[in-house]
């Protein structure tokens, strides 16, 4: 698949629109962090960067994407539906009893979900295990992961970061959704992460820092990571905006886990259109 900027941007908008509709229908969910990763998901699924077959989700040669921030499930489910893994109309059953679309992503129910996540701080360690297994099997797949910046306060992530460098996991590309906001406030006020780039480089990772809403920049960063001759694992700090695309949600802590009301949804969809 060739990189088509308009296609990628259109799909990112569709991810945002469907995510908001899902959370509104459920009257529950996490809109802010879903909107902040829409562009990353779109480049991966619709920009030709993630190898997958929606008709054969368990294909051994597929690339793997572990979304550690499992509460951003509306964006993940929307991307998977748009990619053909499931029916986008069914995503409106989000968070309902018996629905396949649970509040946190569930690999037992939704094709294309590689790991059930939501307990933050676990995704990177599991992605590392998948990357190690691929290397042992001489499988050339790439293992991607998307982390929230709030969960970088968890020690388990730093153990995985240390181990990935030690074992030369050059088949790993990790995104940090650096939207600077977590459940109850700004990350730097809750438990400061900066200087995050220097910390990662000190742990012997190759690090890039980009605008996480610029599809071209995301695509270029992945290409750079894939073409690196280094044995180091690859980390992409994506500077993003919580609630991106909806003016009254952007950079607002309150929209971490609050569903839009009818009038909110109407305003949000008008802005996105």
């Amino acid at each position: 698949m060739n990189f088509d900027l308009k296609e990628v941007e259109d799909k990112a908008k569709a991810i945002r629109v469907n995510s908001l509709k899902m959370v509104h229908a459920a009257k529950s969910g996490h809109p802010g962090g879903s909107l902040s990763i829409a562009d990353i998901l779109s480049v991966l699924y619709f920009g030709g960067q993630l190898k997958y077959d929606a008709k054969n989700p368990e294909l051994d040669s597929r690339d793997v994407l572990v979304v550690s921030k499992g509460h951003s499930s509306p964006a993940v489910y929307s991307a998977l539906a748009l990619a053909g893994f499931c029916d986008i109309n069914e995503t409106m059953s989000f968070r309902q009893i018996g629905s396949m679309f649970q509040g946190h992503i569930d690999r037992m129910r939704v094709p294309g979900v590689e790991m059930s996540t939501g307990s933050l701080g676990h995704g990177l360690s599991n992605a590392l295990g998948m990357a190690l297994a691929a290397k042992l099997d001489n499988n050339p797949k790439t293992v991607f992961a998307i982390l929230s910046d709030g969960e970088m306060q968890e020690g388990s992530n730093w153990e995985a970061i240390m181990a990935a460098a030690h074992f030369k996991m050059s088949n790993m590309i990790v995104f940090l959704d650096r939207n600077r906001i977590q459940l109850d406030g700004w990350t730097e006020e809750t438990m400061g992460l900066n200087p995050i780039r220097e910390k990662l480089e000190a742990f012997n990772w190759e690090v890039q820092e980009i605008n996480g809403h610029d599809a071209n920049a995301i695509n270029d960063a992945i290409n750079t990571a894939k073409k690196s001759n280094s044995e180091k694992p690859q980390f992409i700090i994506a500077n993003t905006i919580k609630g991106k695309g909806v003016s009254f949600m952007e950079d607002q802590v309150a929209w971490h886990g609050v569903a839009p009301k009818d009038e909110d949804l109407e305003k949000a969809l008008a802005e996105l259109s």
Side-chain angles (χ1 to χ4, degrees):
M1 184 190 300
N2 294 323
F3 182 78
D4 182 328
L5 180 60
K6 185 178 186 307
E7 170 75 4
V8 168
E9 290 180 339
D10 285 348
K11 284 295 197 297
K13 183 183 294 185
I15 290 170
R16 289 187 167 96
V17 167
N18 199 67
S19 295
L20 289 172
K21 288 181 177 179
M22 289 171 64
V23 177
H24 171 262
K27 296 181 172 58
S28 175
H30 296 82
S34 294
L35 298 182
S36 65
I37 63 169
D39 301 291
I40 297 170
L41 290 172
S42 188
V43 171
L44 287 170
Y45 281 101
F46 309 109
Q49 291 291 5
L50 187 73
K51 290 186 298 183
Y52 65 88
D53 183 347
K55 295 180 179 178
N56 186 8
E58 299 296 322
L59 185 70
D60 191 51
S61 61
R62 74 189 185 281
D63 289 335
V64 171
L65 171 61
V66 174
V67 183
S68 188
K69 44 176 291 178
H71 55 286
S72 294
S73 54
V76 178
Y77 294 150
S78 297
L80 290 172
L82 291 165
F85 285 90
C86 49
D87 185 343
I88 198 162
N89 293 315
E90 291 184 9
T91 62
M92 292 303 116
S93 67
F94 179 57
R95 283 183 172 242
Q96 302 304 309
I97 293 175
S99 171
M100 63 190 287
F101 301 102
Q102 293 297 296
H104 292 81
I105 56 175
D106 185 347
R107 70 173 299 274
M108 303 302 291
R109 300 191 187 210
V110 181
V113 173
E114 298 284 358
M115 178 191 167
S116 301
T117 56
S119 296
L120 297 177
H122 295 177
L124 184 57
S125 295
N126 281 270
L128 170 59
M130 295 174 189
L132 279 165
K135 283 226 170 187
L136 289 170
D137 291 341
N138 293 313
N139 189 324
K141 69 173 62 179
T142 300
V143 178
F144 294 89
I146 301 176
L147 314 181
S148 62
D149 48 5
E151 70 179 316
M152 290 296 284
Q153 297 158 354
E154 309 237 9
S156 53
N157 272 323
W158 292 98
E159 293 179 48
I161 288 167
M162 180 167 58
H166 176 78
F167 291 112
K168 299 180 172 60
M169 291 290 97
S170 57
N171 57 341
M172 288 186 71
I173 299 176
V174 178
F175 279 94
L176 179 64
D177 177 28
R178 187 68 167 119
N179 62 37
R180 301 162 292 119
I181 293 176
Q182 56 194 103
L183 172 64
D184 54 359
W186 297 88
T187 56
E188 294 310 297
E189 294 175 357
T190 305
M191 179 63 69
L193 300 174
N194 287 327
I196 187 68
R197 178 170 189 160
E198 289 81 355
K199 289 175 182 175
L200 292 163
E201 289 174 338
F203 274 69
N204 214 25
W205 283 60
E206 278 199 356
V207 184
Q208 302 176 69
E209 190 165 359
I210 63 168
N211 176 350
H213 300 305
D214 182 332
N216 278 322
I218 298 167
N219 189 57
D220 289 344
I222 297 172
N223 285 334
T224 297
K226 286 181 174 180
K227 292 174 182 177
S228 173
N229 292 320
S230 171
E231 292 185 324
K232 296 180 180 181
Q234 303 288 319
F235 208 104
I236 301 171
I237 300 171
N239 292 308
T240 61
I241 297 171
K242 196 110 171 183
K244 175 66 176 177
V246 180
S247 61
F248 59 89
M249 292 185 178
E250 290 186 354
D251 277 339
Q252 297 300 312
V253 174
W255 286 103
H256 172 85
V258 175
K261 297 178 181 178
D262 292 350
E263 58 271 25
D264 297 325
L265 180 66
E266 184 177 350
K267 287 170 60 179
L269 296 183
E271 287 192 19
L272 289 168
S273 66

